[in-house]
Each structure stands twice: as structure tokens, then as C-alpha cells.
Amino acid sequence: MAFNVYTGESGGTTVPTAAQLGLEPPRFCAECGRRMIVQVRPDGWSARCSRHGLTDSKDLDQR
């Protein structure tokens, strides 16, 4: 089951305008829907789920 990383809803597709512009980091884990600890840096962001580990904006840029 997938969760919306901006709202935490199960299967939700709502994406805030700031997120569409790349200004908002994800706040919820896509795998479990738990709220993540988010660190915003001048060059991007990092988000840590207590169960699924770290996601970094630099990692997403490489894909």
C-alpha cells in the first residue's frame, strides 16, 4: 500500500501547490504513512522515517 508523502493519506493523490513547485519536502513516509523528521538545508532536504530510514533530495535527483 502506498501513502501520499505530503498528506499521509492512504493512496491519496493530493499534492500541495508548494510541493508541485518543488518548495515543500515530503512529511510522511510513502511506505508506512508515518510522520517523518525533516531537515531542510540550503541545498535540499533530508527526511527520516523511524522504520524505513533516510531519504534525501540529493538521492532523488540522481534517479
Side-chain angles (χ1 to χ4, degrees), residues 13-27:
T13 58
T14 304
V15 178
T17 304
Q20 291 175 5
L21 297 171
L23 303 173
E24 181 72 19
R27 303 288 179 179

Side-chain angles (χ1 to χ4, degrees), residues 1-31:
M1 180 181 300
F3 292 88
N4 185 309
V5 296
Y6 301 106
T7 64
E9 296 174 351
S10 173
T13 58
T14 304
V15 178
T17 304
Q20 291 175 5
L21 297 171
L23 303 173
E24 181 72 19
R27 303 288 179 179
F28 296 88
C29 179
E31 295 181 48

Side-chain angles (χ1 to χ4, degrees):
M1 180 181 300
F3 292 88
N4 185 309
V5 296
Y6 301 106
T7 64
E9 296 174 351
S10 173
T13 58
T14 304
V15 178
T17 304
Q20 291 175 5
L21 297 171
L23 303 173
E24 181 72 19
R27 303 288 179 179
F28 296 88
C29 179
E31 295 181 48
C32 66
R34 289 175 171 266
R35 189 116 168 110
M36 295 191 293
I37 299 170
V38 179
Q39 173 88 40
V40 178
R41 306 181 307 260
D43 65 339
W45 52 263
S46 63
R48 179 178 300 279
C49 173
S50 62
R51 291 195 177 171
H52 299 103
L54 184 68
T55 303
D56 196 295
S57 61
K58 289 181 182 181
D59 297 338
L60 299 177
D61 290 340
Q62 294 174 358
R63 293 183 189 171

